[in-house]
Amino acid sequence: VGKPAVVFSPNTAVQEQWADTWNLYGDTTAGRTRDLTAHFTSLTYQSLAVFEGDDDADSDGPPARGETLERLHPNGRALVEALRNQGDITIVLDECHHLLEVWGTLLRDVLDQLPDARVLGLTATPPTVMTRSQAKLTQELFGEVLYEARIPALVKEGTLAPYAQLAWVVAPTPDEAAWLGEQSERFTELTSDLFAPDFGTTPLPMWLTQRFVDPLTSGTTSWTEIVHRTPELAEAVLRFAHAGLVALPPGATLHEQHRHPPSAEDWIEVLDDWLEHCVQPSAETHPTDAHVLEAVRRTLPSIGYVLTRRGIRSGPGTVDRVTARSAAKQQAVVTICADEQRALGEEARIVVLCDHEQATATSHRRLTDDSAPDPAGSARGVLTALLGDDAGTTLAPLLVTGRTVAGDDATLDALIASVAVSDPDLAASLRVIDGTITGPWTSGQWVRHATAFFTSGGCRALIGTRGLLGEGWDAPSISTLIDLTTATTQTSVVQIRGRALRIDPAAPDKVALIWTVVCVFEGHPAGGNDWDRFVRKQRGFFTMDETGQVVDGVAGIDSAFSPFAPPPTADNDAIDARMTVRAEDRDTVRDAWLRVPAYADVVRHVVRVIPDPSTHAPAEVLDDKAGLVPYDTRIAVPASAHVAATAPVIAGLVLAVILGTALANAAPALLVLVGAGIGAYLLGRARLRALSRQRVTLPLVAAAIADGLKESGRTHDGSEALDVTPRPDGSLAITLRTDEAGSALFAQAFDEATSPMTQPRYVISRGVTTAPGLAIGRCLAAAVRPRADLEVWHTVPSALADRADHVAAFAAAWRRWVGPARTLYAHSPEGTGVVAVTTGQDPFSVTCLIRSVWQ
């Protein structure tokens, strides 16, 4: 108490919020200048990080300790001296994740000069996203994290508002699609050439076979080794295999992420490998390869890459910018705003965030004859689109950036009148000219006044840039946020979403909607780049899906979404309709959050098991209705079957007695044997029928894996913690309710055991019994010991195949739950034969999708 304090913030908007809050509650006036004469001072990081010249931009590697202070501008040095003179001072570093990107080493050097300072770092960015160097710097600046909570937990505690993450998917406009089609044709021509038999001394198909198939066939390497050496290239090759462009490498298996056409990045991975190791070394001596190099060099820009001496590198990315800034996104914003206006009326408070105030599409000369800047995808373009629509006009949209306040004249006049209430002198100096407000005010001032104007309902659609409003900006009344930015770092994404999640005291039932508008063009290899960006935005962010689970990634927005490929364009209308229905029913969103049971604030990995319709997988493999019953219990023949089977034995004995009495010379013992044989045959038949009915369902396999992991010491919990839940779409959700690492280990192990075999270390069998026929010998044998007549082989999960005792623990659990089994070392003579025969075969004909769920 009574000690001076300085708060550093990332921009002027947040700086003003700190000063305004202090003025509201403090007994002194907040300062905003470097002299620190006020008891409480609010500054930006930029006020300190002022360097002389541009030397720091050209420095090699991170600066040495203390070096940043030597390069400070005199104004920056004066601020450091003023901080040092304060002695016992409190320094608050707001949005302190910025320190890890821009000002971290400078603040470290400054704090070295302030041994008596108390330093508090505030951020909504989780420490789990930090790199090793960032984590080290954070430890130096702040020490251990004092408090951390996940966003869903904060919603459940009432600290943040309930929310729904939604997506609006569009295709490019006709003009944009025509231009993208031209670029696609150029690349299609190249890909046709690439698979011609005379395109290069070693054509690409031959190279792919020599590189990824022949070495595996000959045993000189393994697919596991290739994946370890070049993981991105290996992933690309598998998508090439799915597309039929190369044979599936021995030992490789296609999973969810591979069953999609090759992306632009996949083509680049394969082309770069081919050019570097095959074409370029011979281009100087072989004219054919020189021609290949030139053809690739001419065509790569059409997918956003260039060929350099060091290989293929990212280029201008014109195609990507066309989808990222598509004019179709602006129309989507208009539609969303109109829906929100109808749903909320006067209560609607919509914020649209863009990357730039005014963006010039690189491709405008190809898209239009007009050489003027194309505002598509910019804040200015969104404002124009809203002002051109009746619903948009009703919302009185206002554009607020770091240099402009714009809108229609009536809205701007109303804003100036609002300013006059608290600052009549400032309002008197403002004028509306050509749809903008001009006058002697700063961005910090107009953001404060525009926020108050927005909160009061003077405007109900605020359009801004990520740099000004994307973080730290405080506007609790936001009901809807529409994200048009290309930001994908978790820091930026968390900050953007945080604008909408704040509790509004004036609206205690607030439910926030967070929209991302995505543009996909199916006819170009790079046409899904905006979807890939969308996937990166959602990674690590949990949201409520349509079933009420809080799921990580795009699957939380819609369970049909895949992180590996965009949905077909033909599905866009249906997707947007589903999203609109969810957006219109905020009560359901709120109730779903309220229904979330007592939580542990942990993340668990859930396996979604989906039958493969192309193979007509039997539905019983997903059946959870029979419960988790061990094999020995399930194989018992029902009492009714025993009665039916033993009745002939009793009848035979009775008949033998009668005949023995009537015929003295008869052989009762023989008749007894005949009757017993008939009874044994029928008993064996009943037991075989009972065995054939004992379905080996996936929940039983899951139980065996769970117990195997627990009994081998890999997890704390086993089958008693298994959760099996049928989903409305016919799939099954299976999770092990243990700690996050344990649930991830279980999910991976389950996927391995139920997927086609690749290169296992151990394999284990599962018996399959067909319906019994009339084979007397088989039925008589079954009366004593029923046996399966087919074997299906599974991979022993790698987590349980590392040690012999782990394999033994898993095998025991497998026999307990699944049934009699044999375990083989894959490199033994018999194991090698089993692996050779069964590699690539799907033991259950299901697809496993692993998703992270907050619980």
Side-chain angles (χ1 to χ4, degrees):
V1 178
K3 303 295 184 181
V6 177
V7 177
F8 288 96
S9 305
N11 56 47
T12 57
V14 183
Q15 177 194 16
E16 290 299 321
Q17 287 175 182
W18 274 100
D20 290 345
T21 304
W22 177 266
N23 292 337
L24 183 62
Y25 295 103
D27 53 5
T28 60
T29 301
R32 297 179 177 86
T33 58
R34 294 188 184 95
D35 57 20
L36 306 187
T37 55
H39 181 70
F40 177 90
T41 303
S42 180
L43 299 173
T44 63
Y45 289 115
Q46 293 92 329
S47 65
L48 175 63
V50 180
F51 295 94
E52 292 186 297
D54 298 321
D55 296 340
D56 68 309
D58 300 324
S59 60
D60 295 326
R65 202 168 195 115
E67 181 182 337
T68 57
L69 297 178
E70 299 174 2
R71 295 189 287 109
L72 279 180
H73 185 277
N75 290 340
R77 294 175 196 159
L79 177 54
V80 173
E81 185 63 25
L83 288 168
R84 186 162 40 224
N85 292 336
Q86 295 291 327
D88 188 1
I89 186 174
T90 298
I91 298 177
V92 179
L93 304 175
D94 195 13
E95 309 293 355
C96 63
H97 53 273
H98 276 285
L99 308 180
L100 309 178
E101 303 167 3
V102 183
W103 300 292
T105 54
L106 171 61
L107 262 295
R108 180 198 64 194
D109 292 346
V110 170
L111 295 179
D112 285 346
Q113 305 294 313
L114 308 172
D116 297 326
R118 295 179 178 86
V119 183
L120 176 64
L122 305 176
T123 181
T125 300
T128 53
V129 305
M130 297 178 186
T131 64
R132 184 175 301 177
S133 61
Q134 290 173 339
K136 180 180 178 182
L137 180 57
T138 300
Q139 178 68 27
E140 290 182 16
L141 291 173
F142 310 115
E144 297 297 328
V145 175
L146 298 178
Y147 177 76
E148 178 186 3
R150 290 184 174 89
I151 288 177
L154 295 175
V155 173
K156 282 296 294 178
E157 294 298 325
T159 304
L160 295 177
Y163 64 93
Q165 182 80 19
L166 303 170
W168 193 279
V169 186
V170 299
T173 66
D175 286 346
E176 293 165 348
W179 184 83
L180 290 168
E182 292 176 11
Q183 304 305 302
S184 181
E185 287 178 9
R186 294 172 59 192
F187 190 74
T188 300
E189 291 171 0
L190 173 63
T191 55
S192 298
D193 290 339
L194 289 171
F195 286 85
D198 58 348
F199 195 65
T201 55
T202 304
L204 181 61
M206 184 184 299
W207 170 255
L208 290 172
T209 301
Q210 293 175 356
R211 182 89 156 86
F212 300 105
V213 180
D214 293 347
L216 278 69
T217 303
S218 64
T220 57
T221 188
S222 68
W223 182 247
T224 302
E225 292 171 347
I226 291 176
V227 171
H228 179 73
R229 289 197 306 266
T230 54
E232 292 83 5
L233 180 59
E235 292 283 299
V237 168
L238 292 185
R239 281 183 280 273
F240 268 63
H242 173 72
L245 302 177
V246 65
L248 182 67
T253 301
L254 299 179
H255 294 288
E256 178 192 5
Q257 64 267 35
H258 306 129
R259 298 188 179 100
H260 306 286
S263 66
E265 288 78 9
D266 294 331
W267 280 101
I268 295 308
E269 287 287 343
V270 170
L271 284 176
D272 201 28
D273 183 73
W274 178 51
L275 295 178
E276 179 184 355
H277 297 102
C278 181
V279 177
Q280 286 177 319
S282 64
E284 293 185 2
T285 57
H286 292 81
T288 302
D289 287 338
H291 169 70
V292 168
L293 278 177
E294 183 57 31
V296 172
R297 181 178 289 108
R298 288 195 311 268
T299 309
L300 282 178
S302 67
I303 57 171
Y305 292 87
V306 293
L307 180 60
T308 70
R309 291 186 178 183
R310 297 191 303 273
I312 300 175
R313 299 291 183 265
S314 296
T318 304
V319 169
D320 186 30
R321 280 199 286 270
V322 169
T323 53
R325 302 177 183 174
S326 172
K329 289 189 173 184
Q330 294 176 179
Q331 186 54 49
V333 171
V334 172
T335 303
I336 294 171
C337 288
D339 289 342
E340 286 294 274
Q341 162 69 17
R342 284 191 292 271
L344 297 179
E346 296 294 324
E347 303 302 317
R349 297 292 185 274
I350 305 167
V351 171
V352 184
L353 287 181
C354 307
D355 286 320
H356 309 285
E357 176 185 334
Q358 181 83 39
T360 302
T362 304
S363 57
H364 68 266
R365 288 187 177 85
R366 304 296 301 271
L367 296 174
T368 176
D369 294 331
D370 183 7
S371 60
D374 184 350
S378 66
R380 178 73 69 171
V382 172
L383 174 65
T384 301
L386 284 174
L387 290 177
D389 181 82
D390 290 341
T393 304
T394 303
L395 292 168
L398 188 67
L399 181 146
V400 178
T401 71
R403 61 182 182 181
T404 306
V405 177
D408 65 15
D409 288 354
T411 301
L412 297 179
D413 287 338
L415 174 58
I416 293 175
S418 174
V419 173
V421 174
S422 58
D423 195 339
D425 293 338
L426 175 61
S429 66
L430 303 178
R431 298 289 184 272
V432 176
I433 300 176
D434 296 330
T436 63
I437 295 180
T438 63
W441 61 346
T442 65
S443 60
Q445 290 175 304
W446 68 60
V447 167
R448 182 170 71 251
H449 288 293
T451 302
F453 188 59
F454 173 73
T455 300
S456 67
C459 98
R460 290 180 283 120
L462 196 61
I463 307 154
T465 54
R466 172 167 57 96
L468 186 66
L469 304 181
E471 62 176 302
W473 174 55
D474 188 17
S477 62
I478 296 172
S479 63
T480 310
L481 187 142
I482 304 174
D483 183 8
L484 297 185
T485 71
T486 56
T488 59
T489 63
Q490 193 161 24
T491 295
S492 298
V493 172
V494 169
Q495 290 294 323
I496 287 171
R497 290 175 176 137
R499 301 317 98 214
L501 298 184
R502 303 192 177 193
I503 293 291
D504 184 5
D509 291 334
K510 169 183 169 178
V511 173
L513 301 184
I514 305 170
W515 288 88
T516 304
V517 184
V518 189
C519 181
V520 176
F521 179 69
E522 284 186 330
H524 193 284
N529 284 5
D530 204 40
W531 180 267
D532 296 338
R533 190 161 34 243
F534 170 59
V535 169
R536 293 195 297 274
K537 285 185 176 188
Q538 306 306 320
R539 192 172 294 137
F541 189 82
F542 291 84
T543 191
M544 183 80 67
D545 73 2
E546 68 273 21
T547 68
Q549 279 194 319
V550 184
V551 184
D552 177 25
V554 294
I557 298 175
D558 192 303
S559 59
F561 284 174
S562 167
F564 306 111
T569 299
D571 293 349
N572 285 1
D573 289 345
I575 291 169
D576 297 342
R578 289 201 300 272
M579 297 295 156
T580 300
V581 169
R582 290 183 65 189
E584 290 175 345
D585 192 359
R586 277 177 159 84
D587 290 342
T588 296
V589 174
R590 184 189 306 106
D591 292 344
W593 280 104
L594 293 176
R595 285 196 303 271
V596 172
Y599 64 91
D601 196 15
V602 298
V603 175
R604 293 192 174 98
H605 294 74
V606 175
V607 185
R608 282 189 58 209
V609 188
I610 304 173
D612 185 351
S614 65
T615 58
H616 305 289
E620 58 263 25
V621 301
L622 300 180
D623 186 20
D624 70 313
K625 296 182 178 63
L628 298 177
V629 181
Y631 174 81
D632 291 339
T633 303
R634 288 181 292 117
I635 198 57
V637 179
S640 58
H642 275 294
V643 171
T646 55
V649 178
I650 298 172
L653 291 173
V654 172
L655 179 62
V657 172
I658 295 174
L659 292 176
T661 303
L663 302 171
N665 296 328
L670 177 62
L671 294 177
V672 169
L673 290 176
V674 171
I678 295 172
Y681 166 77
L682 294 178
L683 176 61
R685 183 182 177 94
R687 296 197 72 180
L688 282 175
R689 288 191 183 279
L691 177 63
S692 70
R693 288 195 297 268
Q694 306 310 310
R695 300 189 300 265
V696 178
T697 65
L698 285 169
L700 297 172
V701 173
I705 294 171
D707 279 351
L709 289 170
K710 179 182 179 180
E711 291 162 16
S712 64
R714 303 305 304 274
T715 61
H716 299 296
D717 303 281
S719 59
E720 74 283 356
L722 203 61
D723 186 5
V724 181
T725 306
R727 290 173 57 90
D729 60 1
S731 64
L732 205 61
I734 304 177
T735 186
L736 187 65
R737 299 185 66 83
T738 185
D739 57 81
E740 182 173 354
S743 74
L745 196 63
F746 166 80
Q748 183 62 42
F750 184 87
D751 187 34
E752 291 179 42
T754 57
S755 295
M757 201 175 291
T758 54
Q759 288 190 325
R761 180 176 172 82
Y762 284 88
V763 294
I764 193 166
S765 66
R766 166 171 61 89
V768 176
T769 302
T770 58
L774 297 177
I776 295 177
R778 184 165 178 267
C779 290
L780 291 177
V784 179
R785 183 183 179 186
R787 298 178 59 188
D789 52 8
L790 293 176
E791 279 185 316
V792 176
W793 290 91
H794 296 258
T795 298
V796 174
S798 55
L800 293 163
D802 55 341
R803 289 171 27 181
D805 58 333
H806 290 174
V807 174
F810 173 64
W814 184 272
R815 294 187 184 99
R816 183 164 64 251
W817 288 103
V818 176
R822 294 193 296 148
T823 306
L824 298 175
Y825 178 56
H827 300 292
S828 67
E830 186 178 4
T832 301
V834 168
V835 172
V837 171
T838 60
T839 292
Q841 295 181 7
D842 197 337
F844 277 120
S845 295
V846 295
T847 298
C848 294
L849 311 180
I850 299 176
R851 302 290 186 253
S852 298
V853 175
W854 176 85
Q855 296 175 330

